[in-house]
Amino acid sequence: MQQFIQNLPKAELHLHIEGTFEPELLFDIAQRNNIKIPYKDVDSLRKAYDFDCLQDFLDIYYQGANALQTEQDFYDLTEAYLQKCKAQNVRHTEIMFDPQTHTERGISFKTVIQGISKACEDAQKNYGITSFLIMSYLRHLPEKEAFKTLEQSLPYKDKIKAIGLDSSEKGNPPSKFKNVYEASVKEGYIPLAHAGEEGSAAYVWEALDILKIKRIDHGNNALQDSKLVQEIIKRDIAMTVCPLSNKALQVVPDLKNHPLKKMMDLGLKPTVNSDDPAYFGGQVNQNYIEIQKALNLTKKDLYELARNSFEYSLLDSETKEKYLNELEEYYQSHKD
């Protein structure tokens, strides 16, 4: 089954590039930039990657991001992730980045976007991996700060496909960002948002009805409301589920109780993703492997999850078709 997962063509739709920052690379880049980090070595930093909740994780996540200073740093970070995509047969990835995490500490929007997008262009040439960038607004900051980010992004619109909403969910409902979402959509960005990870089903309703999102990031708590489940099915909206992230942040303390299979059985369209793999114990294939074991998923289940990842990506229909054909061919020759 691990071999089947390893070679399964797939897309990753929920990935924060700042959350791919492995301790080894973090130490290298911090040293290169003379940034002091409060850990004496890679092992002590790795031990700190042990969280009880979303906020504990965010505290160390922002600390790590401080090491990123130059275009080269953002390039190296992104390139390291894309190499892992190649090794896991991730054919397409949709990468979230948090401009405010960097602009707030004096790093220009240009530095961030140029470094990340250059690595993506090179990966398409060198590895054949397609990718899109999702610009995420930080929900713990005021909406006016998101408007500043939107303004900064406009010269680089050709490099950004969609907008997202991440960071601390509780107390920061989607409705807080209604106006900036409307303005972003007018600029041509596709609206996506985290909803229902720590927030209730009401947050998912708001994301759908107020922000008019085209895909739900996480969405676990949507299952609290059967009307909401039916609405998501009716609107044909996928959920980008992150099993190891859910476990690490105690959203689902035991993967055996993870709602992924229930979502599938209800007719929802979940996908499997790694979220912040450096911090949560595994890249996308590890997420597939662990959830397969915990829920006893079949090859057909895994094929359906991979199929969802292409079908609900932001790719054009022709490229989707190419990847879906590749997946179909693989499944037909390996399903027995």
Side-chain angles (χ1 to χ4, degrees):
M1 200 59 102
Q2 286 197 20
Q3 197 59 46
F4 178 79
I5 288 167
Q6 175 61 37
N7 297 319
L8 184 71
K10 61 189 76 70
E12 178 153 44
L13 306 181
H14 186 148
L15 183 282
H16 301 270
I17 198 63
E18 293 89 351
T20 67
F21 213 172
E22 297 288 348
E24 293 80 359
L25 184 61
L26 199 158
F27 258 86
D28 285 351
I29 290 180
Q31 222 166 4
R32 180 161 87 193
N33 294 329
N34 286 318
I35 303 282
K36 294 226 178 319
I37 51 174
Y39 301 97
K40 66 178 193 304
D41 55 29
V42 167
D43 285 341
S44 57
L45 177 55
R46 217 177 259 295
K47 282 196 186 85
Y49 286 22
D50 192 11
F51 321 102
D52 291 325
C53 66
L54 182 60
Q55 197 52 55
D56 285 357
F57 154 65
L58 289 170
D59 292 343
I60 194 163
Y61 171 93
Y62 292 128
Q63 205 174 64
N66 282 335
L68 298 163
Q69 301 281 321
T70 67
E71 198 175 302
Q72 188 63 48
D73 299 341
F74 287 97
Y75 180 95
D76 291 349
L77 175 70
T78 310
E79 162 65 11
Y81 163 68
L82 289 161
Q83 280 181 13
K84 292 191 174 77
C85 286
K86 180 175 183 277
Q88 299 175 95
N89 211 16
V90 174
R91 309 290 290 114
H92 172 72
T93 177
E94 301 188 353
I95 299 172
M96 300 179 209
F97 70 108
D98 290 341
Q100 289 157 294
T101 297
H102 313 297
T103 54
E104 269 205 322
R105 54 193 180 86
I107 309 299
S108 73
F109 191 99
K110 181 184 180 185
T111 296
V112 179
I113 191 83
Q114 298 279 62
I116 297 172
S117 61
K118 179 74 171 72
C120 290
E121 286 159 25
D122 287 354
Q124 183 154 6
K125 278 191 292 233
N126 300 334
Y127 312 141
I129 295 168
T130 51
S131 56
F132 291 136
L133 297 186
I134 301 165
M135 177 175 75
S136 293
Y137 299 129
L138 297 181
R139 64 200 309 157
H140 66 276
L141 297 175
E143 188 184 42
K144 69 173 196 291
E145 295 299 322
F147 266 109
K148 280 188 206 164
T149 298
L150 173 60
E151 199 59 41
Q152 290 166 338
S153 76
L154 297 182
Y156 309 100
K157 262 167 50 167
D158 61 317
K159 299 183 187 303
I160 301 165
K161 187 78 172 176
I163 50 157
L165 191 61
D166 60 16
S167 190
S168 326
E169 190 181 4
K170 278 185 179 165
N172 296 299
S175 50
K176 176 179 166 185
F177 295 90
K178 176 181 189 285
N179 298 320
V180 77
Y181 262 68
E182 283 174 2
S184 303
V185 168
K186 275 192 186 128
E187 293 296 347
Y189 296 139
I190 296 166
L192 315 171
H194 286 49
E197 178 188 14
E198 287 199 319
S200 68
Y203 277 37
V204 183
W205 275 115
E206 279 198 6
L208 291 173
D209 289 341
I210 296 172
L211 303 188
K212 302 192 171 14
I213 61 169
K214 304 297 179 203
R215 201 165 65 207
I216 301 163
D217 292 318
H218 292 297
N220 300 36
N221 290 336
L223 298 188
Q224 296 167 347
D225 182 339
S226 57
K227 270 196 184 137
L228 175 57
V229 169
Q230 289 314 308
E231 190 60 28
I232 294 167
I233 293 167
K234 191 173 112 189
R235 296 191 199 187
D236 195 26
I237 288 177
M239 298 155 117
T240 64
V241 175
C242 307
L244 291 179
S245 162
N246 290 163
K247 186 181 171 201
L249 298 179
Q250 302 292 301
V251 174
V252 181
D254 187 338
L255 285 184
K256 286 190 168 67
N257 301 323
H258 197 282
L260 180 80
K261 185 71 172 82
K262 189 179 177 191
M263 288 173 175
M264 295 174 81
D265 293 343
L266 286 167
L268 291 163
K269 300 292 183 183
T271 63
V272 170
N273 310 273
S274 66
D275 201 1
D276 299 274
Y279 296 93
F280 296 149
Q283 299 288 326
V284 68
N285 279 3
Q286 199 58 37
N287 277 268
Y288 270 92
I289 287 164
E290 301 281 340
I291 201 69
Q292 186 280 323
K293 278 194 293 205
L295 301 180
N296 201 20
L297 300 177
T298 63
K299 283 184 176 178
K300 185 170 187 293
D301 293 330
L302 297 169
Y303 157 75
E304 276 178 26
L305 290 163
R307 190 173 175 85
N308 289 344
S309 75
F310 291 122
E311 280 189 343
Y312 293 91
S313 71
L314 304 176
L315 285 163
D316 61 83
S317 50
E318 196 181 324
T319 315
K320 275 185 194 179
E321 201 55 41
K322 182 185 87 166
Y323 288 141
L324 286 166
N325 289 340
E326 195 184 318
L327 171 64
E328 190 62 38
E329 206 173 296
Y330 176 78
Y331 176 61
Q332 291 306 333
S333 56
H334 293 84
K335 64 182 180 182
D336 301 325

